Amino acid sequence: MGDRLKEKVAIVTGAGSVGPGWGNGKATAVLFAREGASVLAADINPDAAQETAAIIDQEGGNCTPHEADVSHSDEVERMVERCLEIYGRVDILHNNVGIVDLGGCVEASEESWDRVMNVNLKSMFLTCKFVLPHMERQGKGVIVNISSVASSRWLGVPYVSYSASKGAVNQLTQSVALQYAAKNIRANAILPGFMHTPMVTKSLADFYAAGDVEKMVEIRDCSCPMGKMGDAWDVAHAALFLASDEAKYITGTELVVDGGLTCKAA
Ligand SMILES: NC(=O)c1ccc[n+]([C@@H]2O[C@H](COP(=O)([O-])OP(=O)(O)OC[C@H]3O[C@@H](n4cnc5c(N)ncnc54)[C@H](O)[C@@H]3O)[C@@H](O)[C@H]2O)c1
């Protein structure tokens, strides 16, 4: 166990994974706990949150699983209250939840647009709404928002709601960072590139390779400058740095974790 987040309390949203293996939020929750944080692992899927909590528990860390749909105001308010009841404070808010729905403006339904915006963007507005007053009272806090390189680049996949929601996440991050900079509350975004996580396996195999997961992995690996996709731990380590005091003078920034993908597409 390390001590980079010793005595800190973190809320990680989407701390489970939509399938076997490591999603970004799951890896981040486990890494935060390995570095000494107490973690409230929130997920819409209680079994997924429980699985992450069990891993942390087995490793000797401290984690409470919590079921919440972070696109709903009352559930977010309850999530923050639960964290305060159990741990007494919130030092780190890690906004990891994000979903993908394929389609451009013509193909995607209005309902799909609203759903992606609610889950990817409104959720971060809501978590900030309920966490910031406590961070302000504490005189300190850190927010890490998971965006995507799709927020600023066309990546060959038509998912207009996803790209637009992530672009807005970048701006939400800057707005929070600047409004709260003088109050010792930092906010930064991480922009992952092509990462090999369960969400990709579940949501994008049809688009890339008619459902053939191996083929999809091959295609995505080939398009990365380093010859392969990143993984959830790459995102988790970036989040750990931004959440730790090592990043105490970093706020309002966008940390790209993409193996050079955006340079290639520049
Ligand atoms: N995988 C990639 O290539 C990639 C690239 C760029 C950005 N990202 C971003 O990383 C984040 C995590 O992605 P991942 O690939 O690890 O996903 P994942 O699907 O493995 O994990 C996401 C978790 O969020 C949970 N979740 C979904 N909707 C929720 C809701 N409304 N409330 C609470 N929990 C909810 C799911 O149950 C799941 O456990 C997302 O924001 C995604 O946009 C991923």
Side-chain angles (χ1 to χ4, degrees):
M1 298 293 240
D3 63 0
R4 292 167 73 189
L5 301 181
K6 196 175 161 199
E7 286 168 14
K8 306 268 191 211
V9 173
I11 294 177
V12 177
T13 72
S17 184
V18 288
W22 291 94
N24 296 329
K26 184 176 176 182
T28 301
V30 169
L31 189 60
F32 280 8
R34 283 179 188 165
E35 291 295 332
S38 298
V39 178
L40 190 91
D43 205 284
I44 197 169
N45 177 350
D47 293 339
Q50 183 56 55
E51 190 185 320
T52 300
I55 294 168
I56 292 173
D57 201 42
Q58 275 162 22
E59 293 185 357
N62 189 342
C63 180
T64 303
H66 180 83
E67 180 181 354
D69 179 341
V70 289
S71 64
H72 291 164
S73 180
D74 55 341
E75 297 194 32
V76 173
E77 187 174 16
R78 178 73 202 112
M79 174 183 82
V80 176
E81 273 170 10
R82 177 115 190 265
C83 185
L84 292 167
E85 277 161 25
I86 295 172
Y87 297 119
R89 53 190 294 116
V90 188
D91 300 294
I92 300 160
L93 168 62
H94 184 77
N95 278 318
N96 164 75
V97 163
I99 56 170
V100 170
D101 236 350
L102 287 174
C105 292
V106 174
E107 305 82 36
S109 66
E110 192 178 337
E111 185 198 19
S112 158
W113 170 271
D114 287 343
R115 194 168 72 92
V116 172
M117 284 295 163
N118 284 340
V119 173
N120 292 8
L121 178 61
K122 186 180 162 195
S123 65
M124 297 197 187
F125 160 74
L126 290 173
T127 55
C128 288
K129 173 183 275 308
F130 289 108
V131 163
L132 278 166
H134 299 292
M135 289 184 168
E136 214 177 330
R137 188 174 40 76
Q138 292 163 192
K140 197 174 184 185
V142 188
I143 298 169
V144 180
N145 294 330
I146 299 302
S147 178
S148 166
V149 295
S151 63
S152 64
R153 294 286 194 285
W154 166 257
L155 299 176
V157 186
Y159 40 31
V160 68
S161 55
Y162 183 77
S163 302
S165 68
K166 295 297 191 181
V169 164
N170 297 351
Q171 196 51 46
L172 178 145
T173 308
Q174 274 192 31
S175 296
V176 171
L178 272 287
Q179 188 181 348
Y180 287 88
K183 294 179 173 169
N184 203 22
I185 297 169
R186 299 186 290 107
N188 292 292
I190 293 176
L191 278 58
F194 288 164
M195 316 308 284
H196 193 171
T197 67
M199 178 176 90
V200 166
T201 310
K202 196 175 164 206
S203 309
L204 298 179
D206 280 349
F207 171 79
Y208 278 102
D212 183 337
V213 172
E214 263 181 47
K215 184 79 190 153
M216 178 206 67
V217 170
E218 196 185 314
I219 292 168
R220 282 186 42 119
D221 279 350
C222 281
S223 61
C224 294
M226 297 181 86
K228 65 198 278 271
M229 287 185 271
D231 63 32
W233 297 101
D234 296 316
V235 176
H237 279 100
L240 170 62
F241 168 63
L242 289 174
S244 76
D245 291 340
E246 293 154 22
K248 68 182 169 52
Y249 201 57
I250 299 177
T251 197
T253 201
E254 292 164 13
L255 178 53
V256 175
V257 180
D258 75 345
L261 187 68
T262 44
C263 300
K264 180 182 153 188

